[in-house]
Amino acid sequence: MSDSEFAGVLVSRPDIARLAQVKRPAVTNWERRHPDFPSPVDPGVEVERFRADEVLAWLSARALPANARRPDEPVGTTYGDRFRAGLTGGTAGGLLRAVERLAGPEADRLRGPMSLDRYLLWLLYLVQNQIVEPEDGLAKAVGDFRKWARDSDPPETALPRRLLAELADTLARTSAGSVQESRAAFDHVLVLWRAAHAREGGAFFTPPSVSRVMAGALAAVRPGAVRVHDPYGRTGELLVTYLDAVAAHGDSALPRISGRVPEDLARQVAQMNLRVHHGRALRLGEGPFTPALDPFADPPGAFDVLLTNPPFGRRLEDVAPPPYWSYGATRRTEFDWLQYAVSRLAPRGRAAVLMPAGAAFNAGAAQAVRAGLVEAGAVECVIALPAGLFTLTAVKTQIWFLRPPGSEEGVGPEVLFLAGEHLGHQATRTQRSLSDDDIARLVGEYVSWHTARAAGHSYAGTPGLSCSVPVPDIVDQDHSLDPARYVRAPGQTSAAGAAGPDETRDRLARLSEEIATLQTRAEAADAEAARWLRRYGL
């Protein structure tokens, strides 16, 4: 029930006392001391009654004093929380509070010798069941696992019988007051699991603010997209955020969502994520860490929107060049992903691919591929992001927006550069995040440029943030796609000349930092690479 649905519910003074869990005289005292306390709808009758929505609004402004809170009620709990809980027959706000307790203060006691990421995965699974099947989802899940335990007798560390029963029992006694609270409870555990899983396996999940830039921009410039794909779906964060963006734009048509995930565990989490947030019971496919190992998994020209955060900083050895390497052969996985993304776009499609900053200016084979993409008109926009957005690394990243070659007819080819390195704020001691205003600035700049280009107009850009550069000028800069080379602060000249000593030193420092962080990332993924190479007989 939403609060507005309580408008037709009437409650007496004893009802108010019972639902707010106070003594009966407390309600009378509230009426006498506070002129704004709601008035009865039927004054003068033997048992006066009040509109429940008005009482709820009044009680929601009054926090419980410290000596009145129960152990399971956090600071900030109001009498309105209790009142709403009683009206709904559950604990309004109880699901989120229970999840915060199970994933926080009680986690070490409950999990025992089990690793934290495995414990949180079990909790995530049960929370999902409570959300999508509130009537009997938990009981069915525990029953299924008990039957499996009888048949296969797995070790306790793999299937903790008593733990599952305790978690399910706790969650079954709670309910969410709204859809938003359900999603918040699921996301709370998901964020913690991602952090624990990343520490265990070196996974780099897409930061929420980055997901919103990628998804928001694509939803705005490619409305009505039917086929949407993430070929390296991780935990489904980009697909979920894209569906959020589509809903925010009011698109009536629901896109067909698909994706691939390299491991079964992440696939399960991604499917739970999509089901909780958008009711999509989707089966994601399996895919390798780079598409050259399975180049025919998805058909060419298949997708209206493709967005992904692929692994990068690794090399491909002894792999036959796939047919989509139209712009040059390279052994760096990031350039394999870029060429794959372009080849899979429908004629009016758009892609957003998260890239390491070094991809914009690396020399050698990387430069040759970059030159091919630029001169073919496949690169539409490059957004430089601030460092420190990821949980476990300070690596600098960029978002590359791509289009099919030849899709921009009648206008001179240009690339939009956005220098967003200075944006963001310190969300924690070690991690930065883009604010809502930052996200709106980046998405708005790309959409404004795109709108101007579609109308055949030039785009002036915003000094210090963006600059639209003709392709011939990019060719003159050795096909560099580093936004810092083109975007100048107000009053500075555009970067037509050669880089000066300070800029060269800055680029070398960035490159050195990029190499160090990418080497760490590559080492963390060696086991996965070896597994896929063995699978394909390489």
Side-chain angles (χ1 to χ4, degrees):
M1 265 191 179
S2 64
D3 291 357
S4 63
E5 292 179 275
F6 296 135
V9 178
L10 299 179
V11 291
S12 65
R13 290 180 182 86
D15 290 333
I16 296 172
R18 173 177 55 81
L19 295 170
Q21 299 177 33
V22 296
K23 294 183 179 180
R24 172 64 181 81
V27 179
T28 302
N29 287 335
W30 285 336
E31 285 188 273
R32 289 174 178 171
R33 296 177 181 177
H34 300 280
D36 61 339
F37 190 87
S39 301
V41 297
D42 46 5
V45 301
E46 183 176 355
V47 180
E48 294 180 328
R49 295 176 300 170
F50 301 78
R51 281 182 50 170
D53 60 329
E54 294 179 352
V55 175
L56 174 58
W58 192 88
L59 293 175
S60 295
R62 283 155 178 80
L64 295 169
N67 61 358
R69 291 197 308 269
R70 299 191 305 266
D72 64 335
E73 292 177 323
V75 175
T77 300
T78 68
Y79 287 106
D81 291 327
R82 288 181 175 179
F83 186 82
R84 184 188 293 106
L87 285 171
T88 59
T91 304
L95 180 62
L96 179 56
R97 288 198 298 272
V99 161
E100 289 173 339
R101 191 174 66 252
L102 294 171
E106 296 188 19
D108 287 341
R109 176 185 67 83
L110 290 168
R111 69 185 177 94
M114 180 182 294
S115 66
L116 179 60
D117 65 320
R118 181 173 288 274
Y119 166 78
L120 291 171
L121 185 64
W122 280 116
L123 178 59
L124 188 72
Y125 173 75
L126 293 175
V127 169
Q128 180 241 196
N129 274 272
Q130 174 69 339
I131 292 170
V132 301
E133 298 181 61
E135 296 300 323
D136 58 358
L138 285 173
K140 182 176 182 298
V142 173
D144 289 345
F145 281 117
R146 281 176 173 163
K147 181 178 183 302
W148 177 54
R150 288 195 300 269
D151 295 341
S152 56
D153 193 28
E156 270 292 316
T157 52
L159 182 64
R161 282 74 149 179
R162 292 172 59 186
L163 172 62
L164 286 184
E166 184 171 352
L167 291 177
D169 182 62
T170 300
L171 293 172
R173 295 197 303 268
T174 67
S175 62
S178 64
V179 173
Q180 290 74 20
E181 186 195 337
S182 294
R183 292 173 178 172
F186 180 85
D187 288 345
H188 181 78
V189 186
L190 179 59
V191 167
L192 295 175
W193 178 80
R194 281 174 176 166
H197 185 63
R199 284 192 293 271
E200 293 289 330
F204 293 84
F205 303 107
T206 320
S209 59
V210 176
S211 298
R212 289 174 60 193
V213 174
M214 297 171 72
L218 289 176
V221 304
R222 188 59 177 84
V226 175
R227 298 160 297 176
V228 178
H229 186 63
D230 183 349
Y232 198 87
R234 299 190 184 267
T235 58
E237 60 266 25
L238 281 170
L239 292 175
V240 166
T241 310
Y242 180 82
L243 290 172
D244 291 341
V246 168
H249 279 276
D251 285 2
S252 57
L254 294 176
R256 295 203 302 267
I257 298 293
S258 62
R260 297 189 178 278
V261 183
E263 58 168 341
D264 187 60
L265 188 61
R267 183 185 304 108
Q268 294 175 39
V269 174
Q271 290 171 174
M272 286 192 280
N273 199 4
L274 284 159
R275 191 173 184 192
V276 166
H277 281 272
H278 291 284
R280 297 291 187 99
L282 184 70
R283 290 195 62 82
L284 299 171
E286 184 177 6
F289 74 90
T290 200
L293 297 177
D294 192 3
F296 303 104
D298 301 307
F303 304 111
D304 302 309
V305 165
L306 185 150
L307 69 174
T308 193
N309 169 18
F312 47 73
R314 293 153 69 176
R315 292 186 60 81
L316 291 168
E317 302 294 346
D318 302 324
V319 175
Y324 58 81
W325 277 8
S326 305
Y327 308 101
T330 177
R331 299 301 171 182
R332 298 178 67 94
T333 54
E334 52 264 41
F335 288 95
D336 181 33
W337 279 107
L338 286 170
Q339 296 191 77
Y340 183 80
V342 171
S343 73
R344 266 49 190 174
L345 290 178
R348 294 180 55 246
R350 289 295 184 278
V353 184
L354 197 64
M355 285 281 109
F361 52 80
N362 285 334
Q367 181 179 351
V369 175
R370 196 169 59 242
L373 290 168
V374 169
E375 294 185 27
V379 180
E380 185 169 68
C381 173
V382 177
I383 300 178
L385 299 171
L389 294 174
F390 286 81
T391 303
L392 298 178
T393 178
V395 64
K396 291 184 178 180
T397 54
Q398 299 172 344
I399 304 171
W400 288 33
F401 289 92
L402 308 168
R403 63 194 170 207
S407 60
E408 199 181 42
E409 299 178 358
V411 290
E414 292 184 351
V415 176
L416 177 68
F417 294 97
L418 278 81
E421 297 98 325
H422 62 287
L423 300 179
H425 61 280
Q426 206 67 32
T428 68
R429 186 177 60 83
T430 59
Q431 191 173 2
R432 293 181 65 80
S433 180
L434 297 171
S435 68
D436 291 347
D437 287 343
D438 295 331
I439 295 168
R441 288 184 70 190
L442 294 174
V443 172
E445 202 74 23
Y446 173 59
V447 172
S448 296
W449 174 84
H450 195 275
T451 302
R453 297 287 294 169
H457 301 148
S458 60
Y459 187 72
T462 301
L465 179 63
S466 69
C467 181
S468 185
V469 181
V471 165
D473 289 353
I474 299 172
V475 174
D476 291 342
Q477 296 294 319
D478 296 325
H479 300 94
S480 171
L481 293 178
D482 184 4
R485 178 175 283 270
Y486 303 99
V487 179
R488 297 300 184 212
Q492 290 184 322
T493 59
S494 180
D502 290 342
E503 184 176 350
T504 300
R505 281 193 295 271
D506 182 59
R507 289 184 62 197
L508 289 173
R510 292 202 309 269
L511 182 58
S512 177
E513 177 188 277
E514 185 75 17
I515 291 171
T517 53
L518 291 179
Q519 183 176 355
T520 301
R521 187 168 185 169
E523 290 172 355
D526 278 347
E528 181 194 359
R531 178 172 68 87
W532 278 98
L533 290 171
R534 286 195 301 271
R535 174 173 177 174
Y536 287 92
L538 302 172

